[in-house]
Amino acid sequence: MAAHGTVNHQRNLFPKRTKELKSVVHSAPGWKLFGKVPPRENLQKTSKIIQQEYEARTGRACKPPPQSLRRKNFEFEPLSTTALILEDRPSNLPAKSVEEALRHRQEYDEMVAEAKKREIKEAHKRKKIMKERFKQEESIASAMVIWINEILPNWEVMRSTRRVRELWWQGLPPSVRGKVWSLAVGNELNITPELYEIFLSRAKERWKSFSETSSENDVEGVSVADREASLELIKLDISRTFPSLYIFQKGGPYHDVLHSILGAYTCYRPDVGYVQGMSFIAAVLILNLEEADAFIAFANLLNKPCQLAFFRVDHSMMLKYFATFEVFFEENLSKLFLHFKSYSLTPDIYLIDWIFTLYSKSLPLDLACRVWDVFCRDGEEFLFRTGLGILRLYEDILLQMDFIHIAQFLTKLPEDITSEKLFSCIAAIQMQNSTKKWTQVFSSVMKDIKEGDKNNSPALKS
């Protein structure tokens, strides 16, 4: 009973307030924009009725604004609360003066014009992107026909011709990319698909023996290199390989393939073992080749002098590559070179990561693949030329930075880097010092570098 009494008391207490609220809601035309009017009582007052009520209540007459100021069916209206500026005030507030109404109308027109301008600009931008994409697709389609019908059937004869080199520079069509990479990298190691299966079987046996023991140290005859190439280390690196793609992580379609190629390689080259960064190179090859072909290209690629020097962490050879790079750095970007020198910022700080992963971790994947295209054409020289291209692209920004910010910037490059801008900068880099080319300068450095220079690079002192 007490509860029932309370309910009745509440009902008697609030009905008047409810009516007052309803009155305010119905008398405020602005509320209709927010859908606050109950659907069963859609008796909305017009601004004219509200004005008449206000005049009757206050005894003051307001001049109506010119006909042009009244809201009608506008062709364009922003989907926001922008239009509220044109609404008349609620009946309990003074009406707008003619001057204020005119000002609000002008402000509204300006906002609409600005919104229209943005919309048109965005439409033009979308149209331009679509046009460029269509043009690019047409170019790729026509290039693919040339590669399949003319170049690949006559590979040895045509690969070094000027026409093919120019077409190659523009980027390989995805459908022939893997095939061209395989042919360009070659197979000096004479690895067969059968040999890959043999080393994959060995890797699986090793993983099985590791999982059956509590510690890798318990496995008889396991060397330090073998431990570094263990399943756990490879597993860890695979999880960090192109994480945004979700295809190499556990459960992804290419997880097992990547795992197999890296495991087989550690058995094939125990002298090199597994080194962090290899997973990115293998992953890019997997995206463009069948499993066995990806392994063959991977093993041959890592057998190239530059890659072997880096993955074996041959400090002496790495320093020679860095010294050669600096010759061309000074030749092409002297101002930035001196800026880096003033901070004692050496190439190893940024080049190691770029070279270890062949730019596949540092650049967007499609752009990295285009770098790989020309790397397969020109060899190791193009890796260092690409590095100089990146420095040229961001030269103005880098000149304003100190040591820490330069190192951070080059470790994580901007994501909006485009192939057109980068390749334009790479093309501007001259890989010739006086009359000497990359290979000649590298040979000179090999002869001239002194034993004491080995410790010049801070990152390699340890």
Side-chain angles (χ1 to χ4, degrees):
M1 285 295 288
H4 181 68
T6 304
V7 171
N8 284 335
H9 176 68
Q10 287 175 345
R11 283 177 183 166
N12 294 330
L13 188 62
F14 296 109
K16 189 177 178 183
R17 179 65 179 151
T18 306
K19 285 176 187 172
E20 285 173 5
L21 286 172
K22 278 187 182 178
S23 173
V24 173
V25 168
H26 285 294
S27 65
W31 281 104
K32 67 183 175 184
L33 295 176
F34 300 97
K36 294 290 184 183
V37 178
R40 58 198 174 89
E41 297 180 32
N42 198 16
L43 304 172
Q44 187 63 50
K45 294 180 181 180
T46 64
S47 57
K48 189 174 181 181
I49 292 170
I50 292 167
Q51 185 180 319
Q52 287 169 352
E53 288 179 354
Y54 175 74
E55 288 171 1
R57 230 178 15 252
T58 60
R60 287 188 294 175
C62 294
K63 290 181 183 178
Q67 190 66 28
S68 61
L69 293 179
R70 296 185 183 280
R71 289 183 68 199
K72 298 224 172 169
N73 296 324
F74 296 113
E75 290 177 12
F76 181 90
E77 199 167 291
L79 297 175
S80 70
T81 56
T82 304
L84 283 174
I85 197 171
L86 294 181
E87 288 292 335
D88 294 313
R89 292 200 183 97
S91 60
N92 58 332
L93 295 173
K96 294 179 185 179
S97 65
V98 175
E99 292 78 14
E100 188 179 12
L102 281 167
R103 190 175 73 252
H104 285 179
R105 176 70 214 197
Q106 187 181 351
E107 288 173 7
Y108 177 75
D109 287 343
E110 286 171 4
M111 286 187 279
V112 169
E114 195 62 37
K116 266 186 180 178
K117 202 184 292 180
R118 280 198 303 271
E119 185 69 28
I120 292 165
K121 192 177 178 182
E122 285 298 319
H124 281 311
K125 191 178 177 182
R126 285 194 297 271
K127 191 177 178 181
K128 188 181 177 184
I129 290 168
M130 289 300 291
K131 194 176 179 181
E132 286 174 358
R133 191 175 294 170
F134 182 70
K135 188 180 175 183
Q136 190 181 19
E137 285 172 0
E138 275 192 328
S139 175
I140 289 169
S142 60
M144 182 183 68
V145 173
I146 297 169
W147 278 100
I148 291 172
N149 296 335
E150 298 178 39
I151 301 170
L152 290 175
N154 306 290
W155 175 251
E156 292 302 332
V157 177
M158 295 192 71
R159 66 178 296 178
S160 299
T161 61
R162 185 177 176 180
R163 181 192 174 204
V164 171
R165 287 181 66 81
E166 285 175 357
L167 198 62
W168 206 331
W169 174 269
Q170 292 164 19
L172 298 170
S175 56
V176 300
R177 179 168 270 150
K179 180 68 176 172
V180 175
W181 286 359
S182 288
L183 289 168
V185 171
N187 188 11
E188 289 181 359
L189 299 171
N190 295 315
I191 301 170
T192 61
E194 292 74 25
L195 191 64
Y196 166 61
E197 290 298 331
I198 290 168
F199 284 109
L200 179 56
S201 297
R202 288 185 190 175
K204 286 177 178 177
E205 285 172 18
R206 179 177 294 171
W207 296 335
K208 190 180 176 184
S209 67
F210 284 163
S211 63
E212 287 173 354
T213 55
S214 58
S215 168
E216 291 177 19
N217 295 324
D218 297 335
V219 183
E220 201 172 326
V222 174
S223 65
V224 173
D226 288 331
R227 286 201 299 275
E228 283 183 347
S230 71
L231 175 63
E232 291 306 313
L233 186 56
I234 292 173
K235 261 186 189 176
L236 180 65
D237 234 16
I238 287 175
S239 68
R240 296 183 293 208
T241 305
F242 298 121
S244 60
L245 297 180
Y246 302 108
I247 56 175
F248 295 106
Q249 285 63 43
K250 193 158 187 174
Y254 294 120
H255 172 271
D256 292 346
V257 181
L258 181 56
H259 195 260
S260 296
I261 287 174
L262 296 174
Y265 182 77
T266 60
C267 290
Y268 173 68
R269 290 298 298 263
D271 58 319
V272 179
Y274 179 77
V275 181
Q276 201 171 8
M278 284 183 178
S279 63
F280 278 90
I281 296 174
V284 173
L285 291 168
I286 288 166
L287 291 173
N288 291 278
L289 290 161
E290 294 299 322
E291 186 173 336
D293 293 329
F295 177 79
I296 292 167
F298 181 72
N300 278 279
L301 194 56
L302 266 55
N303 199 51
K304 303 290 181 187
C306 180
Q307 277 60 54
L308 212 51
F310 276 78
F311 282 112
R312 276 180 164 172
V313 196
D314 183 338
H315 288 191
S316 176
M317 281 297 290
M318 288 168 77
L319 285 170
K320 287 162 190 169
Y321 275 109
F322 295 145
T324 308
F325 172 81
E326 287 201 297
V327 170
F328 291 95
F329 187 2
E330 186 176 16
E331 184 81 19
N332 285 275
L333 305 164
S334 56
K335 195 175 179 182
L336 188 62
F337 175 79
L338 292 172
H339 183 64
F340 278 28
K341 278 286 183 188
S342 69
Y343 286 112
S344 299
L345 199 148
T346 49
D348 49 281
I349 290 169
Y350 50 93
L351 271 183
I352 284 178
D353 195 46
W354 293 352
I355 303 298
F356 261 111
T357 61
L358 303 181
Y359 295 96
S360 57
K361 186 182 173 185
S362 311
L363 298 174
L365 185 56
D366 58 335
L367 180 50
C369 284
R370 192 174 164 191
V371 168
W372 279 46
D373 291 343
V374 188
F375 162 58
C376 289
R377 187 193 80 170
D378 294 354
E380 65 184 38
E381 173 186 323
F382 190 72
L383 294 178
F384 296 94
R385 190 180 180 189
T386 299
L388 291 171
I390 291 170
L391 295 179
R392 182 186 175 92
L393 179 60
Y394 296 112
E395 182 178 15
D396 293 341
I397 298 170
L398 294 168
L399 284 169
Q400 307 302 318
M401 293 181 175
D402 59 13
F403 181 98
I404 296 294
H405 291 96
I406 291 170
Q408 288 174 341
F409 183 89
L410 296 177
T411 302
K412 187 168 175 56
L413 295 169
E415 292 178 4
D416 60 352
I417 185 170
T418 64
S419 60
E420 290 76 20
K421 286 180 181 177
L422 178 58
F423 269 77
S424 174
C425 289
I426 293 171
I429 298 295
Q430 298 299 313
M431 296 304 280
Q432 191 163 315
N433 176 249
S434 301
T435 56
K436 292 180 179 179
K437 294 186 178 180
W438 171 268
T439 49
Q440 294 167 315
V441 172
F442 185 75
S443 297
S444 299
V445 168
M446 290 277 282
K447 290 176 187 175
D448 300 341
I449 200 164
K450 295 176 182 178
E451 197 69 26
D453 292 337
K454 289 182 181 181
N455 296 323
N456 279 352
S457 207
L460 296 176
K461 281 183 180 178
S462 55

